[in-house]
Amino acid sequence: MIRHGESEDNIQRIFSRDDTSLTEKGIMQIKDTKELLKKFSYDKVYYSSLRRTVETLENLELEGTEDLRIREINFGIFTGKTFEEISRIYPNETKLWLDDTQNYIIPKGESILGVYSRISEFLEEISRQDENILLITHDCVIRLALSWIFDNPDYFFRFKVDNGSINIISIDEGYKYIKKLNYN
């Protein structure tokens, strides 16, 4: 799994929009990742349809299959705003979200548990294939995929995933494990 390079929204520290682009630093991160990726073999590539992951795919000079299940969490009414802004504009929703981050469905968006469900479905599906799969995706998706190893979304906040990093999970004879984290 490769997290997209640094985006404009990452710099602004806002809940990401679908159309945010990679920064120059983000493009350089992906060029470095491209070199590291030569050490690995993979049979298929899946990518999120959001602009920053499409730009990552292009900078890696790869082609793949778009899959909506590996899109970033939909932040709904929080999208495009900083934490300070959502706290001021949506104090009640922010409190409800902070009180139950996993289960709270952000208005016009998703909950972490909802995203975990769609990502788990995707991972279960591709794990039945006898192939190495490359995903170009997002922070939340990778953190939830790492949590899937433990069959427990509660591990979500125990991972940090760097922009442009390669993260590897493996399924071997029915056992799931983390092989590499933040390789960059």
Side-chain angles (χ1 to χ4, degrees):
M1 299 174 288
I2 296 175
R3 182 179 178 198
H4 61 80
E6 179 188 75
S7 72
E8 295 292 339
D9 287 358
N10 291 149
I11 290 176
Q12 295 177 42
R13 303 189 56 77
I14 62 176
F15 293 94
S16 288
R17 301 165 292 175
D18 291 357
D19 64 348
T20 190
S21 292
L22 297 181
T23 62
E24 286 301 315
K25 178 181 177 182
I27 292 168
M28 293 308 298
Q29 289 170 328
I30 297 308
K31 290 188 186 299
D32 292 342
T33 302
K34 182 179 173 184
E35 286 304 308
L36 289 174
L37 196 56
K38 292 176 181 177
K39 297 178 182 181
F40 301 97
S41 65
Y42 45 90
D43 304 302
K44 288 184 182 173
V45 177
Y46 291 94
Y47 65 95
S48 161
S49 62
L50 302 185
R51 184 174 183 174
R52 57 198 178 272
T53 45
V54 171
E55 289 177 357
T56 298
L57 178 80
E58 291 167 353
N59 279 282
L60 291 170
E61 298 181 17
L62 295 174
E63 293 182 8
T65 303
E66 179 183 297
D67 198 299
L68 298 178
R69 293 174 291 179
I70 60 171
R71 285 173 57 108
E72 182 63 291
I73 185 172
N74 180 343
F75 288 108
I77 61 172
F78 298 166
T79 301
K81 295 173 181 54
T82 64
F83 181 78
E84 292 74 24
E85 288 172 325
I86 68 164
S87 298
R88 187 180 71 252
I89 299 167
Y90 304 110
N92 187 49
E93 291 85 350
T94 302
K95 182 185 180 328
L96 291 169
W97 183 53
L98 292 175
D99 287 347
D100 191 7
T101 308
Q102 284 198 6
N103 294 299
Y104 181 69
I105 300 171
I106 301 167
K108 299 183 182 177
E110 295 179 281
S111 68
I112 288 175
L113 206 53
V115 178
Y116 179 75
S117 177
R118 70 173 153 86
I119 290 163
S120 295
E121 174 190 291
F122 175 80
L123 293 171
E124 291 292 337
E125 181 182 305
I126 65 170
S127 69
R128 290 189 287 275
Q129 301 171 24
D130 188 24
E131 297 175 303
N132 291 326
I133 309 287
L134 176 64
L135 307 181
I136 301 171
T137 189
H138 307 274
D139 177 56
C140 180
V141 172
I142 295 171
R143 289 166 61 194
L144 287 170
L146 295 167
S147 300
W148 174 77
I149 294 295
F150 302 99
D151 296 315
N152 189 341
D154 291 341
Y155 287 96
F156 176 79
F157 289 107
R158 297 186 186 256
F159 297 106
K160 180 183 180 305
V161 179
D162 297 334
N163 288 106
S165 65
I166 297 173
N167 303 274
I168 302 173
I169 59 176
S170 210
I171 297 105
D172 188 17
E173 296 183 22
Y175 292 99
K176 304 182 286 190
Y177 60 95
I178 297 169
K179 196 169 181 180
K180 287 195 185 303
L181 187 59
N182 288 316
Y183 183 66
N184 54 11

